Amino acid sequence: MRERLTLSPEAENLPHEAKEALTFECKKVTSKLDGPNGEHADLSVAVAEKDGNLRHVNFWDLDKTLLVAEPIHAKAVEQIFPENAKTDELRSELHKVYFDGFKLGNSFREWDRMWRIY
């Protein structure tokens, strides 16, 4: 996929050389690193049209391993609330309540909720 980005109206008033430096093309590149399930991440990169140099790339969590944190979080929440993790049934409920809290938007709200419930 090739996409040429256009300049904002404010940038149109810049000198020609400055405009050339801001003109770039977005390209998709597939990572050669395997994720935990064999998937390969797609990256967006911005390449300057004038000199072909890389202008921007976002490669956070390139191999998709940073987001696979459920096993670590599950063990941690069991240690924080051990009274609610004594049986498989209690552990399962604790994990469900904890992971449902991820939809709240930030860790402060998630943990505040957990402390109030447990």
Side-chain angles (χ1 to χ4, degrees), residues 3-116:
E3 174 187 352
R4 185 178 185 282
L5 299 179
T6 57
L7 299 176
S8 67
E10 298 82 23
E12 290 297 333
N13 297 326
L14 294 171
H16 179 70
E17 286 181 2
K19 282 190 215 178
E20 279 187 332
L22 294 174
T23 304
F24 54 92
E25 181 180 332
C26 281
K27 296 182 180 185
K28 292 279 186 197
V29 178
T30 301
S31 169
K32 295 185 189 253
L33 295 176
D34 288 346
N37 299 313
E39 69 276 13
H40 295 268
D42 286 326
L43 309 171
S44 289
V45 297
V47 178
E49 287 187 351
K50 180 179 179 182
D51 56 14
N53 288 331
L54 187 65
R55 289 293 186 243
H56 177 81
V57 63
N58 184 359
F59 58 88
W60 188 86
D61 197 21
L62 180 65
D63 62 359
K64 305 280 187 211
T65 56
L66 293 177
L67 297 179
V68 183
E70 284 87 357
I72 296 165
H73 284 251
K75 291 293 182 189
V77 80
E78 288 172 22
Q79 291 179 10
I80 294 169
F81 303 104
E83 292 297 314
N84 301 95
K86 288 185 176 181
T87 67
D88 287 343
E89 188 177 327
L90 286 172
R91 254 191 311 283
S92 179
E93 182 181 333
L94 178 68
H95 296 165
K96 180 178 178 356
V97 170
Y98 176 69
F99 290 117
D100 284 352
F102 280 5
K103 298 173 187 152
L104 295 174
N106 63 49
S107 59
F108 175 79
R109 291 178 72 191
E110 293 163 11
W111 282 110
D112 179 58
R113 174 180 169 272
M114 289 300 291
W115 286 113
R116 290 172 189 268

